[in-house]
Amino acid sequence: MKKILSLILTVVMVCSLVACGNSTTSTSSSSSSSTGTEKLIMCTNAEFPPYEYKEGGDFKGIDVEIANKIGEKLGCEIEILDIAFDSLIPTVNSGKADFAMAGMTITEDRKENVDFTDTYQNAVQAIIVPINSEIVDSNDMYDKKIGVQLGTTGDIYCTDDFGDENISRYPKIVDGVQAMKIGSIDACVVDDQVAKAVVAGDEGSFKILESPYAEEEYAIAVKKGNSELLDKLNGVIKEMKSNGELKAIVDKYIQ
Ligand code: ARG
């Protein structure tokens, strides 16, 4: 009887190891916790409400809730590593995190360095300007100073379109918005839902321009070639899309 029990236990343990991908073998920091639950390390940049932000020391947001659901479904604990946005891809590639989830847009350049899951959310890059600004759309931005978050698609596209000399890069977009408030820059480019959250937090100071600057799709990034984890994440995303769990999370944060 004892033997059968220990055999069952071994099988269960092996299964949970497999379910959580390679984090337990690839990194020392992601070894089994005291509860015996395996761990998946997610890196993010929690300066991006409503996708990821900190509230009273806790991580909150759409990505955080989706990640926790992923953990639930794969039988792993999710540990969050909060780092600079432009460190996310190197951190996944170094094996210090199993995946990056940060409202991250799929781009051809990034695809050369990481593998992306299926899309879980669509977004657009929005333009925020001071409430009295005369800027109507991106055509008015050629001789203007533009704030972006370092390493984001807002940064990449604006640098291409308006020239490096016109771009001010900030570690978090709220710093750019503050700079715009005191008149050091003329506009900020950031993902639409984040723009809404930032503008709502400072009523009467800013407006979001009607025409979007760029359209994009968010996905989770894993180390190139980690198809085992990629397949599992895609399985969960597919399930969460079809059973309404994904929409329920998004609807909690976006009206
Ligand atoms: N969607 C943009 C990008 O992928 C911005 C994402 C910023 N995310 C964050 N958590 N700060 O470049």
Side-chain angles (χ1 to χ4, degrees):
M1 186 62 186
K2 252 194 183 157
K3 257 196 187 151
I4 293 175
L5 260 179
S6 80
L7 188 74
I8 292 173
L9 210 73
T10 313
V11 170
V12 168
M13 278 173 72
V14 167
C15 286
S16 78
L17 238 173
V18 168
C20 293
N22 64 2
S23 70
T24 50
T25 48
S26 65
T27 63
S28 54
S29 57
S30 56
S31 58
S32 306
S33 72
S34 54
T35 56
T37 314
E38 302 302 327
K39 209 184 268 182
L40 273 180
I41 300 182
M42 154 182 169
C43 58
T44 193
N45 170 250
E47 300 289 352
F48 203 67
Y51 286 92
E52 44 266 331
Y53 55 99
K54 271 185 126 173
E55 204 175 77
D58 292 331
F59 291 106
K60 293 264 164 71
I62 295 171
D63 288 345
V64 174
E65 292 206 22
I66 295 173
N68 286 335
K69 268 272 179 266
I70 289 171
E72 229 172 77
K73 288 176 193 288
L74 298 181
C76 340
E77 185 192 320
I78 301 290
E79 182 181 313
I80 296 181
L81 200 60
D82 184 18
I83 56 176
F85 185 78
D86 64 336
S87 300
L88 294 173
I89 288 179
T91 300
V92 166
N93 281 334
S94 72
K96 287 194 187 114
D98 297 289
F99 64 90
M101 191 169 190
M104 188 183 279
T105 304
I106 304 171
T107 71
E108 290 309 313
D109 279 353
R110 290 175 182 165
K111 267 162 83 177
E112 292 187 1
N113 296 306
V114 281
D115 286 337
F116 281 107
T117 61
D118 298 333
T119 300
Y120 64 91
Q121 201 49 9
N122 294 320
V124 300
Q125 290 296 309
I127 302 166
I128 312 176
V129 293
I131 195 103
N132 299 321
S133 171
E134 284 169 4
I135 298 175
V136 175
D137 58 33
S138 57
N139 293 316
D140 298 332
M141 301 212 309
Y142 284 95
D143 51 356
K144 298 290 189 291
K145 297 280 172 231
I146 304 159
V148 295
Q149 186 184 16
L150 178 71
T152 59
T153 44
D155 181 359
I156 298 161
Y157 304 155
C158 286
T159 304
D160 273 0
D161 286 349
F162 308 110
D164 188 54
E165 66 282 8
N166 292 317
I167 309 303
S168 297
R169 302 181 177 87
Y170 301 91
K172 33 187 175 170
I173 198 64
V174 289
D175 295 343
V177 172
Q178 279 313 310
M180 188 162 61
K181 199 165 180 172
I182 59 169
S184 332
I185 56 170
D186 305 298
C188 280
V189 171
V190 66
D191 305 47
D192 52 344
Q193 295 305 331
V194 181
K196 280 187 201 158
V198 169
V199 168
D202 197 341
E203 225 178 295
S205 300
F206 307 107
K207 60 185 177 189
I208 298 172
L209 300 186
E210 246 166 62
S211 47
Y213 175 51
E215 298 191 355
E216 37 192 49
E217 295 180 348
Y218 293 166
I220 306 174
V222 303
K223 188 173 180 166
K224 233 183 177 358
N226 188 356
S227 54
E228 198 187 337
L229 181 57
L230 193 73
D231 290 349
K232 280 177 197 141
L233 295 177
N234 276 335
V236 174
I237 290 172
K238 194 170 177 199
E239 184 187 329
M240 288 182 71
K241 275 183 181 169
S242 65
N243 69 8
E245 283 174 312
L246 183 63
K247 188 176 181 305
I249 292 175
V250 172
D251 288 351
K252 263 173 70 177
Y253 290 89
I254 300 174
Q255 277 76 43

